[in-house]
Amino acid sequence: MKDIKAKILSNKLVGRVYYKMALEAPYIARAAKPGQFVQIKCSDGLEPFLRRPFSIYRLKAEGSRLKGIEILYEVVGKGTEILSGKKEGEFVDILGPLGTGFSLSRASSLEPRAIIIAGGIGAAPLVYLAEELKKKKIKTIVLMGAKTKGVILCEKDFKKITPEVYVSTDDGTYGCHGFVSRLFHNILKTLESRFETIVYVCGPHGMLRGIAEICEERGFKCQVSLEEKMACGMGACLGCAVLTKSGNKLACKDGPVFNACELSW
Ligand SMILES: Cc1cc2nc3c(=O)[nH]c(=O)nc-3n(C[C@H](O)[C@H](O)[C@H](O)COP(=O)(O)OP(=O)(O)OC[C@H]3O[C@@H](n4cnc5c(N)ncnc54)[C@H](O)[C@@H]3O)c2cc1C
Ligand code: FES
């Protein structure tokens, strides 16, 4: 993990309140794993004082050389508002890569199959994961849920990686009508059983819990990425405790990715 001043290579509006920012950070790009995050100091002043956590959305390469990382973020408050006003060529302090990301290891000799489930901005860490799964030639299905058509994120990214991308919207304006957990139920009816299925999820807490319950019923391994509020982001302040079956753990250090069966929902 390193604390660096990273040059902003680009910072573009990509949806109603969503931005993609590319940062020059070769060390972080080389060390990063899917599901890890960086802490960014959004302001040059004191307000907001704390850094803000953002998942590593993609690595940025120039030819065969890793040049940096990209983040995908939603403007929700002061820090992200300031970040959205930053211009190409400016610098921001970033600390990373941080946390424990997704595990790609297999538990059996069956052929692996990954099901990625993204809710809203929860898509951000899952694109990098899908890219790594593709490199490992693991068959991947992506399910995406959003409130409405205008806020579906990363559909094109996922479609470049796998042909099996399915979308649901809560209001039925695009894809299947209803929550992504219902879409997951429907997809499960069509799946062959000869694979070892691993489910990777990021999104709102209720969605994570719903998907985790379905996985438990079906006996699937399930890894969830939690978006807890964080302060230091590196295990020092104990401000991001998560209750697990073996006591409290820290979302910033032991997570943000946890095995769903380990958590006390
Ligand atoms: C490990 C991790 C990875 C994350 N990755 C991303 C990402 O890739 N893209 C992205 O857009 N956001 C991500 N988040 C959430 C992001 O950190 C917050 O949206 C951001 O800190 C808000 O800062 P702010 O100053 O703009 O808003 P604030 O003024 O601090 O808060 C505005 C609103 O956002 C809510 N909020 C603040 N922090 C969080 C949080 N951690 N989780 C959920 N809601 C929060 C507050 O309750 C409040 O309602 C991630 C969070 C974590 C913990
Ligand atoms: S945010 Fe400080 S310990 Fe996790």
Side-chain angles (χ1 to χ4, degrees), residues 98-144:
L98 295 164
T100 304
F102 295 103
S103 161
L104 306 188
S105 61
R106 300 161 57 172
S108 78
S109 55
L110 291 177
E111 191 181 337
R113 169 179 57 204
I115 303 180
I116 286 179
I117 307 181
I121 189 69
L126 298 172
V127 172
Y128 178 22
L129 171 70
E131 285 175 341
E132 290 301 302
L133 290 166
K134 185 177 182 183
K135 280 188 201 157
K136 288 181 173 286
K137 298 190 169 40
I138 294 178
K139 181 180 165 61
T140 301
I141 299 168
V142 176
L143 311 183
M144 307 174 61

Side-chain angles (χ1 to χ4, degrees), residues 230-240 250-252:
M230 289 181 185
C232 72
M234 45 197 250
C237 72
L238 310 184
C240 63
L250 297 175
C252 68

Side-chain angles (χ1 to χ4, degrees), residues 67-114:
K67 190 170 185 190
I69 58 160
E70 285 182 84
I71 60 164
L72 168 66
Y73 64 96
E74 179 178 4
V75 175
V76 293
K78 186 101 186 207
T80 44
E81 170 101 51
I82 294 171
L83 209 57
S84 70
K86 300 265 181 201
K87 300 277 177 291
E88 185 181 327
E90 290 182 38
F91 286 80
V92 282
D93 283 359
I94 68 171
L95 184 65
L98 295 164
T100 304
F102 295 103
S103 161
L104 306 188
S105 61
R106 300 161 57 172
S108 78
S109 55
L110 291 177
E111 191 181 337
R113 169 179 57 204

